[in-house]
Amino acid sequence: SGECAMVQCCSLCLFDSMFGSRRGKGKDGESIRIRGRDKDGIHRVIDGGHYAEPSCASQPQTSRTSVIEQEPVGRMSDEQVNDAFHELLKQMNIKGEKLEALLADRDMEKKRRMVSQSQRLNMSGRDASKSPQDFVHRMERALQPGEGHTSMLRDLLKDLKVHLSVQKVNYIKEFADQGGIHMLFRIMESLIEMLRRTDSTDHDEEGVALLYDSVKCLKSIVNTWPGMFECFKKESKMFACLVGALSVAASKPTFDYWYSLRFETLNLLTVVAFINDDQFEVQGRDMLLEELTKESQRTKCERFWCIVSCLKKTNKLDVVKKALMLVNIILDVRDPDDTSTEEGKAMAEEAWQMRMHWRSEFMRAGMYQCVDFLEHCTAEAVKAQYDTFCHNKEADFAELVGRFEQMLVGFFCFCRRLS
C-alpha cells in the first residue's frame, strides 16, 4: 500500500542515518578499511559509514503531540505541512544530512502526500488488535504448548514482522516497555531449542521460517534507539539468541532456507558486534565473544566454529561475505593512538596478543581449510573482506618477525660479551 511504501522509504533512510549509507563508497561499501602502518604503530579502522556513533543528545523526542495528527492536510498551509513533515521525519528517527536534504526538498505536493499517508497510517495503527500490548498478549499465548501452537506462532510473527517494520520510534518504545522484546527472545530461544532437537527436514523448514521471521523482527527493533538501548542491557538475550540461531543454522544441511537464516543472522551480528559505545550497558564484541564461548561449551566445538562454517565454499557468496565481515570485526582490536607512554605500550601489546590469539582460534576452528577457496574467489565483495583479513594478518606477523629479530640481536650481543 501507499502507506507502507512511504514508511518503508523512511525506514531505509533511518537505517542509513544510524548505520551509514552504502551509496558512493565503491564496490563494497561494507568492507573494513585499513589505515596503514605509521610511526606510532598499526591502526585498523572500520569504515565509519558502517555505524555512526550514537549521541544521547541526538535521540529523537517522541513525547510531544505530533503536528501530523492535529489537522487535515488539505487545510494546512505550506508552513504547517513543512512542520508536520519535519515531525514525521523525527518520528522516523531520521537525522543529520539526510534530514536536512529531505527538508530542503521544495516539492510540497510530495510532502503533503507523505503527511497524509502518515495520518492514515496512524489512524489504522490505533486499531487495538495491533497495539504493543495486544502483541505481547498474543506472544504469551503463543508460548503456551497445545494444539494450534505452531499456527498461532506463525500468524503472530508474520503480523509482528510487518508491523514493526513500518512503526515509529514511540511504538517500539512502548513495545519494549510492555515486555515485547523479552517475549521475542523467549520465542527465539524456544525455536532454537526445537531446531536443535529435530532432524526432520519438513519440521526444520517450518521452524526455520519462524526463527527467520523472529530475526527480522529483532532487526526492526535494533533499528531504533529505544530498541537498541533495550537490546544492549546486561540482561538482554539478544546475543545469546543470535549466536544460538547461527550455531543451529551452521550445523544443518545446505538447504536454501538455512542459507537465508545464516545470512540474516550474520547480517544483524555484523551490526550489533560493531557497537562498542560506552553509553550502552554492554559492548557488542564483548557480548558476542561471551556467548560464543558459552555456545562452544555447549556444543563441545571450537568457539568460532559456527562463523567459520559459513566461510566454506558450499555456502552462498553473500553468506561468505557476511561471515568474513564478522571475522574482521572481531579481530578489529585497535592499538591506542599514543604508544609512547608505558600505558600506551602495554595497551598496544595487549591488542596485538588478542589479535594473534583470536586469529589462531579462527584457524583452529577450520578457517585454514577455507583459505584456498577464499584466495581464489572472484567475487569482489568477498575479495575485499579477505584482503582486509590478509593485510591485518601480515601486519601482525611482521610485528612478530620484528620481535624475533630483536631477540636474536640481543642473544648474539649476549654471546659476544661472554666470549
Side-chain angles (χ1 to χ4, degrees), residues 344-355:
K345 291 176 182 177
M347 291 174 64
E349 171 69 18
E350 182 181 13
W352 178 77
Q353 289 193 12
M354 290 170 71
R355 292 193 301 269

Side-chain angles (χ1 to χ4, degrees), residues 269-336:
L269 277 172
T270 56
V271 174
V272 296
F274 187 56
I275 299 176
N276 297 289
D277 195 283
D278 290 337
Q279 67 178 299
F280 299 118
E281 291 184 14
V282 297
Q283 299 199 338
R285 180 172 52 212
D286 291 346
M287 289 304 299
L288 174 60
L289 290 169
E290 181 179 321
E291 293 303 331
L292 285 169
T293 301
K294 292 178 182 178
E295 184 66 15
S296 72
Q297 293 168 350
R298 194 198 67 78
T299 60
K300 310 300 182 186
C301 295
E302 291 286 345
R303 177 164 62 161
F304 296 139
W305 169 83
C306 60
I307 301 174
V308 171
S309 67
C310 296
L311 296 175
K312 296 177 180 178
K313 63 181 179 181
T314 52
N315 285 281
K316 294 185 177 180
L317 291 179
D318 56 353
V319 172
V320 175
K321 182 190 78 168
K322 288 296 180 181
L324 268 175
M325 283 185 68
L326 190 56
V327 171
N328 285 333
I329 288 170
I330 290 174
L331 295 176
D332 182 54
V333 186
R334 306 179 191 181
D335 294 339

